[in-house]
Amino acid sequence: DRPDFVLFDLDPADEPGGFAQGVRVAHLIREALAALDLPAYVKTSGADGIHVVTPIDGGATFEETYRFAELLGHRIEEAYPGEATTQWLKKKRTGTLIDHRQNGWGKTIASAYSVRPKPGAPVSTPLAWDELTESITPCDFTMAVATARYEERGDLWAPVLDGGPSLAPALAALESAAA
């Protein structure tokens, strides 16, 4: 009943350069989380998107993680119009969707290292931030690549499972700024 992470599910525009734009938005989220003293980890979704996750200590409710992701998404959307959006309807969207709606009880995401039912069987792959560049695509991370990366680099997702700080101070800062 207590979430142990906040998820920013990025859905890049389905157009040339869309994934590269999603990469830029992921880095903006990382910077915003760092400014709030929160860690950030990233992985491909294995489909067309990117997941940015900040682990938390389990003291927040799902409503609080939802509110936090919503506020931070709106902040980035306002600072980078056209690059990032929180607009749910695709026909009204410009830029990469920052979907905060996955922060709710019973919501599911592709877990790290899961194979996705897409051509080439791409894998939801954890990345180091310096690997998340505009030159990569989700289909770069096949089962063979993900396995080799794990053997070579270890589990880049392990810190997410180790927990994180309290969300309360960061949420309070965002709510104060939004008021």
Side-chain angles (χ1 to χ4, degrees):
D1 290 329
R2 293 290 181 160
D4 55 5
F5 63 85
V6 177
L7 170 70
F8 298 88
D9 182 11
L10 305 184
D11 185 10
D14 188 20
E15 58 190 42
F19 191 80
Q21 182 183 65
V23 166
R24 293 190 299 275
V25 172
H27 283 283
L28 294 172
I29 292 170
R30 177 188 184 207
E31 291 170 15
L33 291 168
L36 293 164
D37 296 321
L38 292 172
Y41 297 88
V42 67
K43 67 181 184 69
T44 63
S45 71
D48 301 319
I50 301 168
H51 293 159
V52 178
V53 170
T54 186
I56 55 175
D57 67 1
T61 65
F62 282 107
E63 292 79 16
E64 289 167 328
T65 59
Y66 183 100
R67 178 78 175 137
F68 176 81
E70 179 182 40
L71 287 170
L72 193 67
H74 284 303
R75 176 184 274 192
I76 292 169
E77 177 183 38
E78 290 169 8
Y80 300 93
E83 186 90 355
T85 184
T86 59
Q87 175 56 248
W88 183 249
L89 294 174
K90 279 190 175 186
K91 63 183 177 185
K92 292 185 178 182
R93 242 187 248 171
T94 304
T96 295
L97 172 65
I98 302 173
D99 186 0
H100 62 275
R101 293 166 187 85
Q102 292 299 99
N103 293 283
W105 191 90
K107 297 291 186 175
T108 61
I109 61 167
S111 63
Y113 307 108
S114 62
V115 180
R116 303 302 302 275
K118 297 276 187 179
V123 175
S124 179
T125 304
L127 303 171
W129 280 101
D130 63 350
E131 295 179 291
L132 186 67
T133 66
E134 295 181 25
S135 64
I136 68 165
T137 66
C139 61
D140 294 339
F141 302 97
T142 63
M143 290 187 287
V145 169
T147 300
R149 287 174 52 80
Y150 190 92
E151 289 171 358
E152 178 183 308
R153 306 184 95 199
D155 185 1
L156 296 177
W157 206 245
V160 173
L161 305 177
D162 290 338
S166 171
L167 185 64
L171 178 57
L174 287 180
E175 287 179 329
S176 176

